[in-house]
Amino acid sequence: MMFLTALIFFALSVILQYFWIKYQRHIHLTQIQKSYGVNIDTEIKAKTPSMGGVIFLLLGVIALLMDFSVDGLIFWSLPILSGLIGFVDDWLKFRTHTSEGFKSLDKLKAQLLVCAVWVMAVFFRGKLGLWPGLFGGMWWLSIPVAFLMTAGTINAVNITDGLDGLAGGSFLISLAVMLIMIPVDGLNARAMTELFAMTGGFMFFNTRPAKTFMGDTGSHFLGGALAALCVMNGRTLAIIPAGFIFIIEMLSSAIQIFTIRKLNRKIFLMAPLHHHFQKKGLDETAVTIRFWLIHSVGGVMLALLLISL
């Protein structure tokens, strides 16, 4: 059954993405490159369709309707609602022909609202926890930690989405790492199968040179899905191993902002970290593959450490 589900979602992902790319090219649905960006392959990337994540939203709704349940509704609501926030951001960029869409503060408020309501829904469903056997009964700690880590994960995946295949490939690795930490049965098995297949279908078009980008729609969706898999299983701390490279990327941006504002200097040539290595002259594909390797090794090691507690 899982094989058939994977086959259907992979085929749907590839077919829908193919026609969506053609339509995006027809209406010139691309994204203006940031003037303060890395300025590598700018002309090529400026012509690449930038809202491939719309197909994630569609397939997420299909996954929910195929096996509708209360837990399924709670699970899929996070990636879908997060993806819709990203969609508004992407659409505003397209409509205004600028690299800035949703105002940063407004987008953050929307993210925090969605995450707060979602975490409370998980709590009242009786599924919230940091890790089995750890901090038992400490709901007052589980709620704020889950809230912060859920919002952080959505933004971390978004920050990582800056090179062809980096965020999508890293998410596939995250799913593999979660196999060590999360029970693979019922809703988990179905959701992970569907997410693996739909992301794999997207990666068919996103590896370098990318024929489409996922945009904020896709990165928000995948970030929400990663957080949902961990939090809804009472394993919020699993986000740390599963999101290893995403956390590193987010920390690099936070460090860069802090040092610029407080010390008036840069630690990295450019943040997030993948752009630092680009600025040092490394090829985009080399950076992506090495980040995948770091994510694989670091994620598995942290996962093994966590399950040993």
Side-chain angles (χ1 to χ4, degrees):
M1 183 62 181
M2 289 299 102
F3 173 78
L4 182 59
T5 299
L7 184 61
I8 290 172
F9 271 79
F10 180 77
L12 280 174
S13 181
V14 171
I15 293 169
L16 292 173
Q17 199 67 250
Y18 173 79
F19 286 106
W20 176 231
I21 290 170
K22 290 188 69 174
Y23 179 71
Q24 287 182 94
R25 290 192 180 279
H26 176 69
I27 64 173
H28 305 290
L29 205 165
T30 56
Q31 184 175 313
I32 302 296
Q33 298 298 296
K34 291 180 172 64
S35 58
Y36 52 87
V38 72
N39 294 322
I40 298 176
D41 294 337
T42 303
E43 292 185 6
I44 296 173
K45 293 182 182 294
K47 296 177 182 178
T48 304
S50 59
M51 288 176 64
V54 166
I55 303 303
F56 289 154
L57 282 176
L58 178 58
L59 291 175
V61 172
I62 292 173
L64 170 60
L65 296 177
M66 281 180 60
D67 190 25
F68 191 86
S69 65
V70 174
D71 284 346
L73 177 61
I74 294 173
F75 175 87
W76 286 108
S77 65
L78 182 62
I80 290 172
L81 291 175
S82 300
L84 287 173
I85 293 172
F87 175 79
V88 172
D89 193 26
D90 287 333
W91 184 252
L92 288 174
K93 292 173 185 175
F94 170 65
R95 293 292 295 175
T96 59
H97 301 287
T98 66
S99 61
E100 305 299 331
F102 217 159
K103 291 182 179 179
S104 297
L105 185 58
D106 291 338
K107 182 164 70 170
L108 179 61
K109 288 177 180 178
Q111 291 170 343
L112 295 179
L113 176 61
V114 166
C115 291
V117 173
W118 185 82
V119 166
M120 292 310 299
V122 176
F123 171 72
F124 286 117
R125 190 65 177 166
K127 294 182 174 293
L128 195 64
L130 297 180
W131 186 260
L134 293 179
F135 311 107
M138 298 175 67
W139 59 267
W140 51 269
L141 179 63
S142 297
I143 291 175
V145 171
F147 168 67
L148 292 173
M149 293 189 74
T150 298
T153 302
I154 293 168
N155 284 285
V157 177
N158 185 40
I159 287 170
T160 305
D161 182 33
L163 302 180
D164 294 356
L166 178 57
S170 296
F171 180 77
L172 290 176
I173 293 168
S174 294
L175 290 177
V177 171
M178 279 189 275
L179 291 174
I180 303 174
M181 300 180 289
I182 294 175
V184 186
D185 54 17
L187 176 61
N188 290 340
R190 293 189 298 274
M192 292 179 77
T193 299
E194 291 155 354
L195 287 164
F196 183 85
M198 69 174 74
T199 307
F202 169 76
M203 287 293 290
F204 191 81
F205 300 99
N206 186 238
T207 50
R208 184 171 170 84
K211 294 179 175 61
T212 186
F213 301 137
M214 66 174 69
D216 279 24
T217 309
S219 61
H220 279 59
F221 180 93
L222 295 183
L226 192 157
L229 280 168
C230 298
V231 176
M232 273 201 70
N233 280 281
R235 291 167 166 81
T236 299
L237 294 182
I239 289 175
I240 298 173
F244 183 68
I245 200 67
F246 302 122
I247 294 171
I248 290 175
E249 290 273 67
M250 184 169 65
L251 286 176
S252 71
S253 292
I255 291 169
Q256 185 85 325
I257 292 170
F258 176 82
T259 54
I260 289 174
R261 292 182 177 177
K262 300 299 183 181
L263 305 178
N264 198 31
R265 59 169 296 187
K266 292 182 179 180
I267 295 295
F268 307 108
L269 295 177
M270 186 175 177
L273 192 58
H274 57 260
H275 286 324
H276 169 79
F277 291 107
Q278 276 191 290
K279 285 287 190 178
K280 288 179 71 70
L282 270 70
D283 177 72
E284 181 172 336
T285 301
V287 176
T288 298
I289 292 175
R290 289 173 186 179
F291 272 48
W292 287 346
L293 290 171
I294 292 169
H295 186 34
S296 301
V297 176
V300 169
M301 290 178 66
L302 286 177
L304 293 174
L305 176 63
L306 186 59
I307 63 177
S308 70
L309 297 177

